[in-house]
Amino acid sequence: MKKILVTGSLGQIGSALTMRLRKEYGVDNVIATDIRHLEGSPIVEKGHFEILDVMDREKMLEIAKRYEVDTMIHLAALLSAVAEAKPQLGWDLNMSGLVNALEVARELNLKFFTPSSIAAFGPDSPKDNTPQDTIQRPTTMYGVTKVAGELLCDYYHTKFGLDTRGVRFPGLISYETEPGGGTTDYAVDIYYEALKNKKYTSFIGKGTYMDMMYMPDAVEAIIQLMEAEPSKLKHRNAFNITAMSFEPEEIAASIRKIIPEFTLDYDVDPVRQGIADSWPNSLDVTDAKEEWGFAPKYDLDCMTEDMLEKLAMKLNIKEKKLIHS
Ligand code: AKB
């Protein structure tokens, strides 16, 4: 990758990734785009930034040509709970946005990355240690767009020789930008509430295991996969990756190591619980390790410590065990 166009750069993955890419490849070599402008954001103010609605293929092509990019990282999409509430919009945005991005990539012969998700699996997939290659019959609109997206990216690779690559992200946990409308978002909200109110009411029920990963590992995984030697890749769209699998009581126990008075209760949201129940408990990541050396660094306790420390700074909250002398 030399010059990279990012769509959805103000979103949860985009805001962490854009800053990391600018550091790695140079500020002038990363073109951040988003449908909205965000006053005061370093993504907007500390590098190239363009307003782009991914439904507008002409403008996407014009920006890609003007900056002479060689790589497209297409992130703009609706997450699971929002796409379930607005399925037509979920299909339109997730699929038309992806087709536009792939077409621009085809015309300019760009390297291409777009994320898939654990949502690409469904209730018929094996629940534990879900294999890389297995049955994928998702029951959510988001999942349908993710499976279709994986197939489409593989199609552009085999039919047109485009260098498309992707991962199936688990729930991503980050402190920079809050996610919007995902099923795994409880695992982000819980840290905010632990610091602010020392208690959290979970919309995901006790005993529900889902795969998760801390954002710094997710960002490194994208860079590592995009820089991997193409001849080593037997798979392309998309690799299972995860760093941990936990249920609400386990993240609460991890938080209690730093905030002992933290309490957790439940008010389960049937829609998001239904989505979570249709997803795997844990993924098998052997192929990502073997084909491009996937190696996440953060486990649950390391992530909790870093997350609470960074969030406490951001929210200006002083927490005894987080104050290092
Ligand atoms: C969501 O919950 O929708 C996302 C995902 C797992 O893709 N975080």
Side-chain angles (χ1 to χ4, degrees), residues 193-225:
E193 293 306 312
L195 281 169
K196 287 197 268 192
N197 302 316
K198 314 252 181 280
K199 60 180 176 65
Y200 180 64
T201 302
S202 174
F203 58 78
I204 291 296
K206 192 171 179 163
T208 310
Y209 279 88
M210 283 186 278
D211 281 296
M212 303 279 176
M213 187 185 295
Y214 197 32
M215 190 59 83
D217 280 335
V219 163
E220 290 317 310
I222 296 176
I223 296 175
Q224 213 179 342
L225 172 58

PDB file of all heavy atoms in Angstrom, residues 193-225:
ATOM      1  N   GLU A 193     -19.947   3.071  31.240  1.00  0.00           N
ATOM      2  CA  GLU A 193     -20.824   3.103  32.421  1.00  0.00           C
ATOM      3  C   GLU A 193     -20.070   2.710  33.684  1.00  0.00           C
ATOM      4  O   GLU A 193     -20.362   3.222  34.768  1.00  0.00           O
ATOM      5  CB  GLU A 193     -22.043   2.198  32.204  1.00  0.00           C
ATOM      6  CG  GLU A 193     -22.978   2.698  31.110  1.00  0.00           C
ATOM      7  CD  GLU A 193     -23.435   4.144  31.335  1.00  0.00           C
ATOM      8  OE1 GLU A 193     -23.852   4.467  32.469  1.00  0.00           O
ATOM      9  OE2 GLU A 193     -23.346   4.949  30.388  1.00  0.00           O
ATOM     10  N   ALA A 194     -19.113   1.805  33.566  1.00  0.00           N
ATOM     11  CA  ALA A 194     -18.309   1.400  34.737  1.00  0.00           C
ATOM     12  C   ALA A 194     -17.578   2.611  35.293  1.00  0.00           C
ATOM     13  O   ALA A 194     -17.525   2.806  36.511  1.00  0.00           O
ATOM     14  CB  ALA A 194     -17.322   0.315  34.342  1.00  0.00           C
ATOM     15  N   LEU A 195     -17.040   3.435  34.417  1.00  0.00           N
ATOM     16  CA  LEU A 195     -16.316   4.615  34.885  1.00  0.00           C
ATOM     17  C   LEU A 195     -17.267   5.701  35.379  1.00  0.00           C
ATOM     18  O   LEU A 195     -17.017   6.344  36.398  1.00  0.00           O
ATOM     19  CB  LEU A 195     -15.440   5.177  33.761  1.00  0.00           C
ATOM     20  CG  LEU A 195     -14.122   4.428  33.524  1.00  0.00           C
ATOM     21  CD1 LEU A 195     -13.478   4.890  32.236  1.00  0.00           C
ATOM     22  CD2 LEU A 195     -13.152   4.613  34.687  1.00  0.00           C
ATOM     23  N   LYS A 196     -18.356   5.904  34.637  1.00  0.00           N
ATOM     24  CA  LYS A 196     -19.250   7.023  34.980  1.00  0.00           C
ATOM     25  C   LYS A 196     -20.148   6.695  36.174  1.00  0.00           C
ATOM     26  O   LYS A 196     -20.335   7.511  37.057  1.00  0.00           O
ATOM     27  CB  LYS A 196     -20.118   7.392  33.767  1.00  0.00           C
ATOM     28  CG  LYS A 196     -19.311   8.108  32.676  1.00  0.00           C
ATOM     29  CD  LYS A 196     -20.208   8.827  31.684  1.00  0.00           C
ATOM     30  CE  LYS A 196     -20.524   7.955  30.527  1.00  0.00           C
ATOM     31  NZ  LYS A 196     -21.140   8.529  29.367  1.00  0.00           N
ATOM     32  N   ASN A 197     -20.734   5.483  36.215  1.00  0.00           N
ATOM     33  CA  ASN A 197     -21.764   5.170  37.223  1.00  0.00           C
ATOM     34  C   ASN A 197     -21.486   3.931  38.061  1.00  0.00           C
ATOM     35  O   ASN A 197     -22.322   3.549  38.891  1.00  0.00           O
ATOM     36  CB  ASN A 197     -23.127   4.989  36.524  1.00  0.00           C
ATOM     37  CG  ASN A 197     -23.519   6.239  35.755  1.00  0.00           C
ATOM     38  OD1 ASN A 197     -23.373   7.342  36.266  1.00  0.00           O
ATOM     39  ND2 ASN A 197     -23.973   6.066  34.525  1.00  0.00           N
ATOM     40  N   LYS A 198     -20.413   3.230  37.783  1.00  0.00           N
ATOM     41  CA  LYS A 198     -20.028   2.004  38.519  1.00  0.00           C
ATOM     42  C   LYS A 198     -21.080   0.904  38.373  1.00  0.00           C
ATOM     43  O   LYS A 198     -21.138  -0.034  39.171  1.00  0.00           O
ATOM     44  CB  LYS A 198     -19.793   2.268  40.022  1.00  0.00           C
ATOM     45  CG  LYS A 198     -18.951   3.491  40.316  1.00  0.00           C
ATOM     46  CD  LYS A 198     -17.573   3.093  40.799  1.00  0.00           C
ATOM     47  CE  LYS A 198     -16.670   4.259  41.145  1.00  0.00           C
ATOM     48  NZ  LYS A 198     -16.052   4.876  39.963  1.00  0.00           N
ATOM     49  N   LYS A 199     -21.951   1.017  37.412  1.00  0.00           N
ATOM     50  CA  LYS A 199     -22.913  -0.067  37.164  1.00  0.00           C
ATOM     51  C   LYS A 199     -23.324  -0.051  35.687  1.00  0.00           C
ATOM     52  O   LYS A 199     -23.190   0.989  35.018  1.00  0.00           O
ATOM     53  CB  LYS A 199     -24.137   0.059  38.065  1.00  0.00           C
ATOM     54  CG  LYS A 199     -24.939   1.329  37.909  1.00  0.00           C
ATOM     55  CD  LYS A 199     -26.108   1.235  38.889  1.00  0.00           C
ATOM     56  CE  LYS A 199     -26.919   2.399  38.947  1.00  0.00           C
ATOM     57  NZ  LYS A 199     -27.678   3.254  38.580  1.00  0.00           N
ATOM     58  N   TYR A 200     -23.809  -1.204  35.221  1.00  0.00           N
ATOM     59  CA  TYR A 200     -24.241  -1.283  33.826  1.00  0.00           C
ATOM     60  C   TYR A 200     -25.400  -2.267  33.698  1.00  0.00           C
ATOM     61  O   TYR A 200     -25.414  -3.320  34.343  1.00  0.00           O
ATOM     62  CB  TYR A 200     -23.074  -1.754  32.933  1.00  0.00           C
ATOM     63  CG  TYR A 200     -23.465  -1.856  31.477  1.00  0.00           C
ATOM     64  CD1 TYR A 200     -23.845  -0.729  30.750  1.00  0.00           C
ATOM     65  CD2 TYR A 200     -23.472  -3.092  30.824  1.00  0.00           C
ATOM     66  CE1 TYR A 200     -24.223  -0.820  29.416  1.00  0.00           C
ATOM     67  CE2 TYR A 200     -23.850  -3.192  29.482  1.00  0.00           C
ATOM     68  CZ  TYR A 200     -24.225  -2.044  28.791  1.00  0.00           C
ATOM     69  OH  TYR A 200     -24.599  -2.136  27.472  1.00  0.00           O
ATOM     70  N   THR A 201     -26.381  -1.889  32.870  1.00  0.00           N
ATOM     71  CA  THR A 201     -27.498  -2.781  32.558  1.00  0.00           C
ATOM     72  C   THR A 201     -27.289  -3.291  31.140  1.00  0.00           C
ATOM     73  O   THR A 201     -27.315  -2.507  30.189  1.00  0.00           O
ATOM     74  CB  THR A 201     -28.837  -2.015  32.674  1.00  0.00           C
ATOM     75  OG1 THR A 201     -28.931  -1.501  34.010  1.00  0.00           O
ATOM     76  CG2 THR A 201     -30.018  -2.926  32.403  1.00  0.00           C
ATOM     77  N   SER A 202     -27.057  -4.590  31.010  1.00  0.00           N
ATOM     78  CA  SER A 202     -26.682  -5.160  29.709  1.00  0.00           C
ATOM     79  C   SER A 202     -27.920  -5.519  28.889  1.00  0.00           C
ATOM     80  O   SER A 202     -28.847  -6.142  29.405  1.00  0.00           O
ATOM     81  CB  SER A 202     -25.835  -6.414  29.918  1.00  0.00           C
ATOM     82  OG  SER A 202     -25.594  -7.039  28.687  1.00  0.00           O
ATOM     83  N   PHE A 203     -27.873  -5.181  27.597  1.00  0.00           N
ATOM     84  CA  PHE A 203     -28.968  -5.577  26.697  1.00  0.00           C
ATOM     85  C   PHE A 203     -28.713  -6.967  26.110  1.00  0.00           C
ATOM     86  O   PHE A 203     -29.534  -7.522  25.390  1.00  0.00           O
ATOM     87  CB  PHE A 203     -29.208  -4.530  25.598  1.00  0.00           C
ATOM     88  CG  PHE A 203     -28.019  -4.231  24.718  1.00  0.00           C
ATOM     89  CD1 PHE A 203     -27.642  -5.084  23.697  1.00  0.00           C
ATOM     90  CD2 PHE A 203     -27.283  -3.054  24.898  1.00  0.00           C
ATOM     91  CE1 PHE A 203     -26.559  -4.807  22.881  1.00  0.00           C
ATOM     92  CE2 PHE A 203     -26.195  -2.756  24.082  1.00  0.00           C
ATOM     93  CZ  PHE A 203     -25.832  -3.641  23.071  1.00  0.00           C
ATOM     94  N   ILE A 204     -27.543  -7.535  26.404  1.00  0.00           N
ATOM     95  CA  ILE A 204     -27.217  -8.911  25.995  1.00  0.00           C
ATOM     96  C   ILE A 204     -27.221  -9.777  27.263  1.00  0.00           C
ATOM     97  O   ILE A 204     -26.680  -9.388  28.298  1.00  0.00           O
ATOM     98  CB  ILE A 204     -25.830  -8.953  25.304  1.00  0.00           C
ATOM     99  CG1 ILE A 204     -25.878  -8.241  23.940  1.00  0.00           C
ATOM    100  CG2 ILE A 204     -25.317 -10.392  25.138  1.00  0.00           C
ATOM    101  CD1 ILE A 204     -26.776  -8.876  22.894  1.00  0.00           C
ATOM    102  N   GLY A 205     -27.845 -10.941  27.175  1.00  0.00           N
ATOM    103  CA  GLY A 205     -28.080 -11.751  28.364  1.00  0.00           C
ATOM    104  C   GLY A 205     -26.854 -12.488  28.889  1.00  0.00           C
ATOM    105  O   GLY A 205     -25.896 -12.744  28.151  1.00  0.00           O
ATOM    106  N   LYS A 206     -26.938 -12.826  30.172  1.00  0.00           N
ATOM    107  CA  LYS A 206     -25.929 -13.629  30.860  1.00  0.00           C
ATOM    108  C   LYS A 206     -25.677 -14.925  30.081  1.00  0.00           C
ATOM    109  O   LYS A 206     -26.621 -15.545  29.599  1.00  0.00           O
ATOM    110  CB  LYS A 206     -26.505 -13.958  32.248  1.00  0.00           C
ATOM    111  CG  LYS A 206     -25.560 -14.539  33.226  1.00  0.00           C
ATOM    112  CD  LYS A 206     -26.285 -14.563  34.563  1.00  0.00           C
ATOM    113  CE  LYS A 206     -25.418 -15.169  35.635  1.00  0.00           C
ATOM    114  NZ  LYS A 206     -25.887 -14.874  36.964  1.00  0.00           N
ATOM    115  N   GLY A 207     -24.417 -15.303  29.984  1.00  0.00           N
ATOM    116  CA  GLY A 207     -24.090 -16.582  29.340  1.00  0.00           C
ATOM    117  C   GLY A 207     -23.977 -16.512  27.818  1.00  0.00           C
ATOM    118  O   GLY A 207     -23.724 -17.531  27.178  1.00  0.00           O
ATOM    119  N   THR A 208     -24.167 -15.315  27.229  1.00  0.00           N
ATOM    120  CA  THR A 208     -24.077 -15.197  25.764  1.00  0.00           C
ATOM    121  C   THR A 208     -22.631 -14.917  25.354  1.00  0.00           C
ATOM    122  O   THR A 208     -22.120 -13.817  25.565  1.00  0.00           O
ATOM    123  CB  THR A 208     -24.975 -14.039  25.246  1.00  0.00           C
ATOM    124  OG1 THR A 208     -26.275 -14.196  25.799  1.00  0.00           O
ATOM    125  CG2 THR A 208     -25.024 -13.999  23.730  1.00  0.00           C
ATOM    126  N   TYR A 209     -21.999 -15.910  24.774  1.00  0.00           N
ATOM    127  CA  TYR A 209     -20.599 -15.736  24.339  1.00  0.00           C
ATOM    128  C   TYR A 209     -20.541 -15.172  22.929  1.00  0.00           C
ATOM    129  O   TYR A 209     -21.288 -15.605  22.046  1.00  0.00           O
ATOM    130  CB  TYR A 209     -19.873 -17.089  24.359  1.00  0.00           C
ATOM    131  CG  TYR A 209     -19.411 -17.473  25.744  1.00  0.00           C
ATOM    132  CD1 TYR A 209     -20.259 -18.169  26.598  1.00  0.00           C
ATOM    133  CD2 TYR A 209     -18.153 -17.119  26.198  1.00  0.00           C
ATOM    134  CE1 TYR A 209     -19.855 -18.505  27.878  1.00  0.00           C
ATOM    135  CE2 TYR A 209     -17.737 -17.450  27.483  1.00  0.00           C
ATOM    136  CZ  TYR A 209     -18.590 -18.141  28.311  1.00  0.00           C
ATOM    137  OH  TYR A 209     -18.186 -18.457  29.575  1.00  0.00           O
ATOM    138  N   MET A 210     -19.678 -14.180  22.733  1.00  0.00           N
ATOM    139  CA  MET A 210     -19.383 -13.676  21.378  1.00  0.00           C
ATOM    140  C   MET A 210     -17.892 -13.383  21.282  1.00  0.00           C
ATOM    141  O   MET A 210     -17.255 -13.055  22.281  1.00  0.00           O
ATOM    142  CB  MET A 210     -20.175 -12.397  21.084  1.00  0.00           C
ATOM    143  CG  MET A 210     -21.633 -12.622  20.760  1.00  0.00           C
ATOM    144  SD  MET A 210     -22.490 -11.096  20.263  1.00  0.00           S
ATOM    145  CE  MET A 210     -22.857 -10.357  21.838  1.00  0.00           C
ATOM    146  N   ASP A 211     -17.370 -13.477  20.055  1.00  0.00           N
ATOM    147  CA  ASP A 211     -15.967 -13.127  19.821  1.00  0.00           C
ATOM    148  C   ASP A 211     -15.774 -11.624  19.894  1.00  0.00           C
ATOM    149  O   ASP A 211     -16.643 -10.855  19.467  1.00  0.00           O
ATOM    150  CB  ASP A 211     -15.551 -13.585  18.419  1.00  0.00           C
ATOM    151  CG  ASP A 211     -15.258 -15.060  18.377  1.00  0.00           C
ATOM    152  OD1 ASP A 211     -14.307 -15.482  19.044  1.00  0.00           O
ATOM    153  OD2 ASP A 211     -15.991 -15.787  17.678  1.00  0.00           O
ATOM    154  N   MET A 212     -14.597 -11.220  20.404  1.00  0.00           N
ATOM    155  CA  MET A 212     -14.289  -9.787  20.545  1.00  0.00           C
ATOM    156  C   MET A 212     -12.807  -9.542  20.258  1.00  0.00           C
ATOM    157  O   MET A 212     -11.981 -10.463  20.338  1.00  0.00           O
ATOM    158  CB  MET A 212     -14.572  -9.312  21.968  1.00  0.00           C
ATOM    159  CG  MET A 212     -15.985  -9.537  22.450  1.00  0.00           C
ATOM    160  SD  MET A 212     -17.126  -8.270  21.860  1.00  0.00           S
ATOM    161  CE  MET A 212     -18.668  -8.938  22.513  1.00  0.00           C
ATOM    162  N   MET A 213     -12.482  -8.265  20.012  1.00  0.00           N
ATOM    163  CA  MET A 213     -11.083  -7.889  19.785  1.00  0.00           C
ATOM    164  C   MET A 213     -10.913  -6.406  20.115  1.00  0.00           C
ATOM    165  O   MET A 213     -11.840  -5.610  19.915  1.00  0.00           O
ATOM    166  CB  MET A 213     -10.745  -8.134  18.312  1.00  0.00           C
ATOM    167  CG  MET A 213      -9.290  -7.941  17.976  1.00  0.00           C
ATOM    168  SD  MET A 213      -8.961  -8.109  16.223  1.00  0.00           S
ATOM    169  CE  MET A 213      -9.351  -9.756  15.970  1.00  0.00           C
ATOM    170  N   TYR A 214      -9.727  -6.062  20.635  1.00  0.00           N
ATOM    171  CA  TYR A 214      -9.441  -4.661  20.946  1.00  0.00           C
ATOM    172  C   TYR A 214      -9.004  -3.957  19.656  1.00  0.00           C
ATOM    173  O   TYR A 214      -8.294  -4.537  18.834  1.00  0.00           O
ATOM    174  CB  TYR A 214      -8.333  -4.613  22.002  1.00  0.00           C
ATOM    175  CG  TYR A 214      -8.197  -3.291  22.730  1.00  0.00           C
ATOM    176  CD1 TYR A 214      -9.297  -2.482  22.970  1.00  0.00           C
ATOM    177  CD2 TYR A 214      -6.958  -2.875  23.205  1.00  0.00           C
ATOM    178  CE1 TYR A 214      -9.167  -1.285  23.653  1.00  0.00           C
ATOM    179  CE2 TYR A 214      -6.825  -1.677  23.903  1.00  0.00           C
ATOM    180  CZ  TYR A 214      -7.930  -0.884  24.111  1.00  0.00           C
ATOM    181  OH  TYR A 214      -7.810   0.306  24.790  1.00  0.00           O
ATOM    182  N   MET A 215      -9.408  -2.698  19.496  1.00  0.00           N
ATOM    183  CA  MET A 215      -9.184  -1.997  18.234  1.00  0.00           C
ATOM    184  C   MET A 215      -7.720  -1.969  17.760  1.00  0.00           C
ATOM    185  O   MET A 215      -7.471  -2.138  16.558  1.00  0.00           O
ATOM    186  CB  MET A 215      -9.755  -0.571  18.310  1.00  0.00           C
ATOM    187  CG  MET A 215      -9.780   0.157  16.990  1.00  0.00           C
ATOM    188  SD  MET A 215     -10.758  -0.688  15.725  1.00  0.00           S
ATOM    189  CE  MET A 215     -12.394  -0.126  16.138  1.00  0.00           C
ATOM    190  N   PRO A 216      -6.731  -1.760  18.658  1.00  0.00           N
ATOM    191  CA  PRO A 216      -5.356  -1.753  18.134  1.00  0.00           C
ATOM    192  C   PRO A 216      -5.004  -3.060  17.413  1.00  0.00           C
ATOM    193  O   PRO A 216      -4.312  -3.037  16.390  1.00  0.00           O
ATOM    194  CB  PRO A 216      -4.490  -1.577  19.393  1.00  0.00           C
ATOM    195  CG  PRO A 216      -5.404  -0.925  20.390  1.00  0.00           C
ATOM    196  CD  PRO A 216      -6.777  -1.439  20.100  1.00  0.00           C
ATOM    197  N   ASP A 217      -5.503  -4.192  17.909  1.00  0.00           N
ATOM    198  CA  ASP A 217      -5.252  -5.462  17.223  1.00  0.00           C
ATOM    199  C   ASP A 217      -5.994  -5.530  15.884  1.00  0.00           C
ATOM    200  O   ASP A 217      -5.485  -6.093  14.909  1.00  0.00           O
ATOM    201  CB  ASP A 217      -5.714  -6.644  18.098  1.00  0.00           C
ATOM    202  CG  ASP A 217      -4.700  -6.995  19.175  1.00  0.00           C
ATOM    203  OD1 ASP A 217      -3.497  -6.708  18.994  1.00  0.00           O
ATOM    204  OD2 ASP A 217      -5.106  -7.577  20.206  1.00  0.00           O
ATOM    205  N   ALA A 218      -7.188  -4.950  15.842  1.00  0.00           N
ATOM    206  CA  ALA A 218      -7.974  -4.976  14.605  1.00  0.00           C
ATOM    207  C   ALA A 218      -7.270  -4.162  13.510  1.00  0.00           C
ATOM    208  O   ALA A 218      -7.179  -4.583  12.351  1.00  0.00           O
ATOM    209  CB  ALA A 218      -9.369  -4.410  14.863  1.00  0.00           C
ATOM    210  N   VAL A 219      -6.746  -3.010  13.904  1.00  0.00           N
ATOM    211  CA  VAL A 219      -6.065  -2.125  12.955  1.00  0.00           C
ATOM    212  C   VAL A 219      -4.777  -2.795  12.435  1.00  0.00           C
ATOM    213  O   VAL A 219      -4.498  -2.781  11.226  1.00  0.00           O
ATOM    214  CB  VAL A 219      -5.776  -0.774  13.660  1.00  0.00           C
ATOM    215  CG1 VAL A 219      -4.743   0.024  12.927  1.00  0.00           C
ATOM    216  CG2 VAL A 219      -7.077   0.015  13.808  1.00  0.00           C
ATOM    217  N   GLU A 220      -4.018  -3.412  13.354  1.00  0.00           N
ATOM    218  CA  GLU A 220      -2.793  -4.109  12.919  1.00  0.00           C
ATOM    219  C   GLU A 220      -3.146  -5.252  11.975  1.00  0.00           C
ATOM    220  O   GLU A 220      -2.417  -5.517  11.015  1.00  0.00           O
ATOM    221  CB  GLU A 220      -1.999  -4.657  14.117  1.00  0.00           C
ATOM    222  CG  GLU A 220      -1.335  -3.604  14.980  1.00  0.00           C
ATOM    223  CD  GLU A 220      -0.649  -2.474  14.206  1.00  0.00           C
ATOM    224  OE1 GLU A 220       0.151  -2.754  13.285  1.00  0.00           O
ATOM    225  OE2 GLU A 220      -0.922  -1.296  14.507  1.00  0.00           O
ATOM    226  N   ALA A 221      -4.259  -5.935  12.253  1.00  0.00           N
ATOM    227  CA  ALA A 221      -4.650  -7.071  11.407  1.00  0.00           C
ATOM    228  C   ALA A 221      -4.921  -6.597   9.971  1.00  0.00           C
ATOM    229  O   ALA A 221      -4.513  -7.257   9.008  1.00  0.00           O
ATOM    230  CB  ALA A 221      -5.886  -7.762  11.980  1.00  0.00           C
ATOM    231  N   ILE A 222      -5.569  -5.451   9.831  1.00  0.00           N
ATOM    232  CA  ILE A 222      -5.848  -4.940   8.473  1.00  0.00           C
ATOM    233  C   ILE A 222      -4.522  -4.672   7.748  1.00  0.00           C
ATOM    234  O   ILE A 222      -4.323  -5.092   6.595  1.00  0.00           O
ATOM    235  CB  ILE A 222      -6.698  -3.641   8.520  1.00  0.00           C
ATOM    236  CG1 ILE A 222      -8.078  -3.921   9.115  1.00  0.00           C
ATOM    237  CG2 ILE A 222      -6.830  -3.027   7.122  1.00  0.00           C
ATOM    238  CD1 ILE A 222      -8.958  -2.683   9.304  1.00  0.00           C
ATOM    239  N   ILE A 223      -3.608  -3.986   8.424  1.00  0.00           N
ATOM    240  CA  ILE A 223      -2.336  -3.630   7.779  1.00  0.00           C
ATOM    241  C   ILE A 223      -1.542  -4.901   7.428  1.00  0.00           C
ATOM    242  O   ILE A 223      -1.027  -5.046   6.320  1.00  0.00           O
ATOM    243  CB  ILE A 223      -1.510  -2.682   8.689  1.00  0.00           C
ATOM    244  CG1 ILE A 223      -2.271  -1.358   8.854  1.00  0.00           C
ATOM    245  CG2 ILE A 223      -0.108  -2.454   8.126  1.00  0.00           C
ATOM    246  CD1 ILE A 223      -1.628  -0.369   9.814  1.00  0.00           C
ATOM    247  N   GLN A 224      -1.502  -5.829   8.403  1.00  0.00           N
ATOM    248  CA  GLN A 224      -0.749  -7.063   8.184  1.00  0.00           C
ATOM    249  C   GLN A 224      -1.304  -7.860   6.996  1.00  0.00           C
ATOM    250  O   GLN A 224      -0.543  -8.339   6.148  1.00  0.00           O
ATOM    251  CB  GLN A 224      -0.854  -7.899   9.457  1.00  0.00           C
ATOM    252  CG  GLN A 224       0.365  -8.728   9.741  1.00  0.00           C
ATOM    253  CD  GLN A 224       0.184  -9.510  11.036  1.00  0.00           C
ATOM    254  OE1 GLN A 224      -0.680  -9.190  11.869  1.00  0.00           O
ATOM    255  NE2 GLN A 224       0.978 -10.546  11.192  1.00  0.00           N
ATOM    256  N   LEU A 225      -2.632  -7.973   6.935  1.00  0.00           N
ATOM    257  CA  LEU A 225      -3.226  -8.723   5.821  1.00  0.00           C
ATOM    258  C   LEU A 225      -2.965  -8.008   4.496  1.00  0.00           C
ATOM    259  O   LEU A 225      -2.625  -8.642   3.498  1.00  0.00           O
ATOM    260  CB  LEU A 225      -4.741  -8.901   6.045  1.00  0.00           C
ATOM    261  CG  LEU A 225      -5.515  -9.507   4.873  1.00  0.00           C
ATOM    262  CD1 LEU A 225      -4.976 -10.883   4.481  1.00  0.00           C
ATOM    263  CD2 LEU A 225      -7.007  -9.613   5.192  1.00  0.00           C
TER     264      LEU A 225
END
